[in-house]
Amino acid sequence: MINTTTNGNMTAASSSSSSGPTTTTQSQQQGLKTYFKTPEGRYKLQFDKTHPSGLLQFNHGKTVSMVTLAHLKEKPAPLTPTASSSSFSASSGVRSAAARLLGGSNGNRALSFVGGNGSSKSNGGASRIGSIGSSSLSSSVANPNFDGKGSYLVFNAGDAILISDLNSQDKDPIKSIHFSNSNPVCHAFDQDAKDGHDLLIGLFSGDVYSVSLRQQLQDVGKKIVGAHHYNKDGILNNSRCTCISWVPGGDGAFVVAHADGNLYVYEKNKDGAGESSFPILKDQTLFSVAHARYSKSNPIARWHICQGSINSISFSADGAYLATVGRDGYLRVFDYTKEHLVCGGKSYYGGLLCCAWSMDGKYILTGGEDDLVQVWSMEDRKVVAWGEGHNSWVSGVAFDSYWSSPNSNDNGETITYRFGSVGQDTQLLLWELEMDEIVVPLRRGPPGGSPTFGSPTFSAGSQSSHWDNAVPLGTLQPAPSMRDVPKISPLVAHRVHTEPLSSLIFTQESVLTACREGHIKIWTRPGVAESQPSNSETLLATSLKEKPSLSSKISNSIYKQ
C-alpha cells in the first residue's frame, strides 16, 4: 500500500488533508493544492494535460506513462549543430507560454492555429522498410493544428503516443498515434537532428521506431508515418524496451535498453532491416560488449549490462559517460567510447528505477525501491548523500539546471545544487545540496573503529587519491552502511497528483510532473507569470538572492532541525 501522507517535519509539505484550492480536472481531487512554496517564492499550477477521455482504460495497466519535451524550430535543424547541444534535447529550448510574458529572446510563440503550416516537410521521407499500415492517403492531408514550429509534450498512454502543445491550455492532445501490435513504453527527442528523424519510440514488444516529429504533426491520421523500423517483431530481442536515448553528439546514434539486461547501439542512417547476430551470452552476470560482424548491420553493438531489467539510462551532457540502473540495484557508469565500466555501486535496498546527471558531470542522482534519493559523486566514485523524504519508491529524479545558486565560488563553479524527485507516494520533493558544507566519512578509518568525518575536498594530495587506490577502476561497490552516508531532508514536499508519479522535467519557466496514468501538470516558477516583459534571467537571479543557507539541513541524522 502506498503511503501518501507527508512527514510532519517538512515545512513546505502539503498532505491529503490540506484544504487549498483545487482545479477542475479529473486528475485532481479535493486536497491537492495548486501551488507549493520555496525560498524563492511560489510555484503555481499553470495548467495540465491529459489523454483523450475515450482512450481505453484497460491498456493503462500494461505500461507507465513517460514524458518527453520536444522543441521544433521554424525550419528543420541546420546541418551544423554543435556536438554538445544534442545532450540538452530533454529540456533545452523548451519554452512555456510564460516565455512571451518574459520577453524571451528566442522568438518562440504560442501556436496560432490559423491554417496551413506553411513549412516544408522534413527529409525523413517514406520509411525504407515501410511504416505501420498504409498512410499515403492521410499523409497528403495537412493538419491545421500545426504551423511548423513550437514546443510539444510527447507522452504515452495505453496503445498510443500522444502529442500536446505545451503553449496551449487545451488539456487534450493535438495528435494521437496508435499502435496495433504493442504499447509504446519509452521515447526520446533530438532537437538538433541532422535530418527529419528526431523522435525515437520503444515498444513493449521490443520494436523500435525512429520518425520525424514534424511529419507526424503534419499528418491528420492516427497511424505512424515515414517510420524506420528496428528490431521488427522482436526478431533480435523480444523483451520489453525499458528506455531509449540519443547519443549526445553521436551523429544519429542511439541506444535502446531492454528488460533482459541488454542494451543495443543503433545508427539511424542505416537500414533498420539490416540483420545483426551476436554470440550467445555464456555468463548473464558479467558485463560484455559484442559488435556486429558486418558494416551494414543494425544494431552495430550489443552491451550486456546486467542480469535482469535495465530500468533507466542517462548520458552525461558531453556524451562521454553512460549511467545505467537496474533491477539488481546497481548503478553502473561506463566510458561510452572506450566501452568499459568506470565505477558503480549498490543501492541500500532493492532495485534502482531512475537516474540523472548533473549538467557539469560531477554527480549522478538515482532513486528506487529503498525510497531514497542517492547522490553519487563521480570524483569520489561513491555515494556522498542520501535524501530521505519519500514514503514509497522513487520513480523519477532530475537536476534543475535552470536554477542559479546564489553563492557560486570565485571560479564560477556550482557549489549548491537544486534537484527534484517524484515517487509512487504521489509526492514531488525538491532538494538542495551544498557540497562544500556536506559532512562525509573519510574513505579510510582505523580498522574496527568508527568512521572519521571530514570535508569532501578534492585538491591534490587529498583523500581522493587514497580513494582511487582503495577502489580500482571498474569496481562495483557494495551497499554502504546507513551510518556511513550523510542524510539530507527535502526543501519542499508537495503532493501533486492522486496517482503514483512517473516523470519529472525542469524547464526554464516551469516544472513538469506526470503520473503513471498519463496526466501531466505544468508548475510555473515564481515570478514568471506576474513579471513584465523584461528578462527572465534577471528576475530569477533577483528572486534567489535572499535564499537562506541550507547547510543546516545536512547532518548525519534524519530530519535534524
Side-chain angles (χ1 to χ4, degrees):
M1 179 176 177
I2 296 176
N3 185 357
T4 59
T5 59
T6 56
N7 191 296
N9 291 331
M10 302 178 198
T11 58
S14 63
S15 68
S16 59
S17 62
S18 61
S19 58
T22 60
T23 62
T24 58
T25 63
Q26 293 181 355
S27 64
Q28 290 182 295
Q29 300 173 1
Q30 288 187 355
L32 296 185
K33 291 184 178 180
T34 57
Y35 66 90
F36 57 88
K37 296 179 180 179
T38 66
E40 62 267 23
R42 285 189 177 188
Y43 284 69
K44 297 181 180 179
L45 179 61
Q46 186 179 20
F47 46 83
D48 54 13
K49 304 285 188 180
T50 188
H51 52 76
S53 56
L55 198 67
L56 295 178
Q57 297 297 317
F58 69 82
N59 273 327
H60 281 204
K62 297 181 180 179
T63 58
V64 174
S65 293
M66 307 300 292
V67 180
T68 295
L69 283 177
H71 176 68
L72 284 179
K73 303 174 183 179
E74 292 195 34
K75 297 179 181 179
L79 295 179
T80 56
T82 58
S84 62
S85 60
S86 60
S87 62
F88 303 103
S89 60
S91 57
S92 289
V94 179
R95 303 293 182 261
S96 68
R100 303 192 308 279
L101 300 174
L102 286 168
S105 58
N106 62 356
N108 296 336
R109 291 184 180 153
L111 302 186
S112 57
F113 306 113
V114 291
N117 53 63
S119 62
S120 61
K121 288 191 177 183
S122 62
N123 59 359
S127 171
R128 304 175 201 168
I129 59 173
S131 60
I132 302 179
S134 174
S135 57
S136 58
L137 177 62
S138 63
S139 62
S140 63
V141 182
N143 187 350
N145 287 348
F146 176 65
D147 67 351
K149 62 182 184 296
S151 298
Y152 299 91
L153 298 174
V154 180
F155 60 104
N156 59 290
D159 65 348
I161 282 287
L162 306 168
I163 306 172
S164 184
D165 175 22
L166 181 62
N167 294 334
S168 168
Q169 296 197 21
D170 292 337
K171 293 180 175 60
D172 289 340
I174 60 175
K175 175 71 177 181
S176 178
I177 303 172
H178 292 262
F179 295 81
S180 58
N181 56 338
S182 184
N183 286 2
V185 176
C186 50
H187 26 83
F189 179 78
D190 181 5
Q191 71 172 16
D192 292 303
K194 290 185 177 181
D195 60 28
H197 279 227
D198 48 17
L199 179 65
L200 299 171
I201 303 170
L203 303 187
F204 195 91
S205 60
D207 294 62
V208 178
Y209 296 91
S210 71
V211 299
S212 163
L213 177 60
R214 189 182 303 272
Q215 190 173 0
Q216 309 312 305
L217 288 167
Q218 288 171 342
D219 186 83
V220 297
K222 291 189 176 182
K223 292 185 177 180
I224 197 169
V225 294
H228 294 173
H229 195 168
Y230 311 90
N231 191 33
K232 187 176 183 180
D233 299 325
I235 186 172
L236 179 65
N237 190 321
N238 60 7
S239 67
R240 170 175 50 92
C241 293
T242 56
C243 38
I244 194 165
S245 175
W246 294 101
V247 179
D251 195 23
F254 62 91
V255 297
V256 183
H258 288 262
D260 64 353
N262 286 312
L263 178 144
Y264 295 88
V265 182
Y266 291 84
E267 292 182 355
K268 73 172 181 179
N269 58 355
K270 288 187 176 181
D271 195 331
E275 293 184 2
S276 294
S277 61
F278 299 99
I280 297 175
L281 293 168
K282 296 180 179 180
D283 190 341
Q284 295 280 344
T285 63
L286 297 179
F287 167 66
S288 64
V289 178
H291 296 90
R293 296 180 180 179
Y294 307 106
S295 59
K296 293 184 179 180
S297 298
N298 208 15
I300 62 174
R302 179 196 67 194
W303 293 32
H304 179 70
I305 305 293
C306 57
Q307 190 174 18
S309 176
I310 303 171
N311 291 329
S312 181
I313 59 177
S314 179
F315 278 98
S316 59
D318 59 3
Y321 296 99
L322 172 66
T324 70
V325 293
R327 183 179 178 181
D328 63 358
Y330 278 97
L331 163 71
R332 293 173 172 87
V333 183
F334 301 92
D335 185 310
Y336 178 72
T337 303
K338 296 180 180 179
E339 298 181 329
H340 66 65
L341 179 68
V342 176
C343 57
K346 184 78 166 58
S347 66
Y348 182 72
Y349 171 81
L352 290 175
L353 304 175
C354 52
C355 60
W357 286 85
S358 62
M359 292 305 295
D360 57 14
K362 293 182 178 180
Y363 300 97
I364 304 171
L365 298 175
T366 66
E369 297 174 0
D370 55 10
D371 303 354
L372 299 171
V373 178
Q374 178 177 275
V375 184
W376 177 277
S377 168
M378 278 296 291
E379 198 158 10
D380 259 358
R381 296 214 294 269
K382 68 175 296 184
V383 178
V384 294
W386 272 336
E388 295 188 323
H390 282 288
N391 301 313
S392 188
W393 294 0
V394 180
S395 50
V397 289
F399 279 94
D400 186 353
S401 59
Y402 297 94
W403 180 83
S404 299
S405 171
N407 56 345
S408 296
N409 62 15
D410 296 336
N411 297 326
E413 296 180 355
T414 301
I415 295 178
T416 304
Y417 293 81
R418 167 76 64 85
F419 54 92
S421 60
V422 293
Q424 295 193 16
D425 57 2
T426 73
Q427 288 192 113
L428 162 67
L429 269 57
L430 296 182
W431 314 77
E432 286 185 8
L433 189 59
E434 194 164 353
M435 299 311 300
D436 277 8
E437 297 294 331
I438 190 170
V439 178
V440 299
L442 287 175
R443 283 72 170 179
R444 287 183 170 182
S450 301
T452 307
F453 294 92
S455 174
T457 56
F458 307 116
S459 59
S462 70
Q463 302 157 12
S464 293
S465 59
H466 299 289
W467 182 246
D468 290 339
N469 295 330
V471 182
L473 189 71
T475 300
L476 289 179
Q477 301 175 54
S481 170
M482 183 63 76
R483 69 174 187 172
D484 291 341
V485 180
K487 316 303 186 301
I488 60 173
S489 302
L491 176 73
V492 173
H494 181 62
R495 183 169 176 249
V496 291
H497 290 258
T498 57
E499 300 91 3
L501 300 180
S502 58
S503 293
L504 169 67
I505 299 176
F506 291 98
T507 75
Q508 184 171 346
E509 290 84 21
S510 58
V511 178
L512 280 67
T513 57
C515 74
R516 61 183 300 138
E517 294 298 321
H519 308 297
I520 305 167
K521 294 184 179 181
I522 295 93
W523 304 85
T524 305
R525 291 183 185 270
V528 170
E530 296 84 358
S531 66
Q532 297 298 322
S534 55
N535 53 8
S536 58
E537 291 80 5
T538 302
L539 173 67
L540 291 176
T542 302
S543 65
L544 294 172
K545 283 181 180 178
E546 302 302 323
K547 185 183 73 67
S549 172
L550 298 169
S551 58
S552 60
K553 286 180 175 282
I554 303 170
S555 66
N556 295 312
S557 60
I558 302 174
Y559 302 123
K560 184 176 180 180
Q561 298 295 316

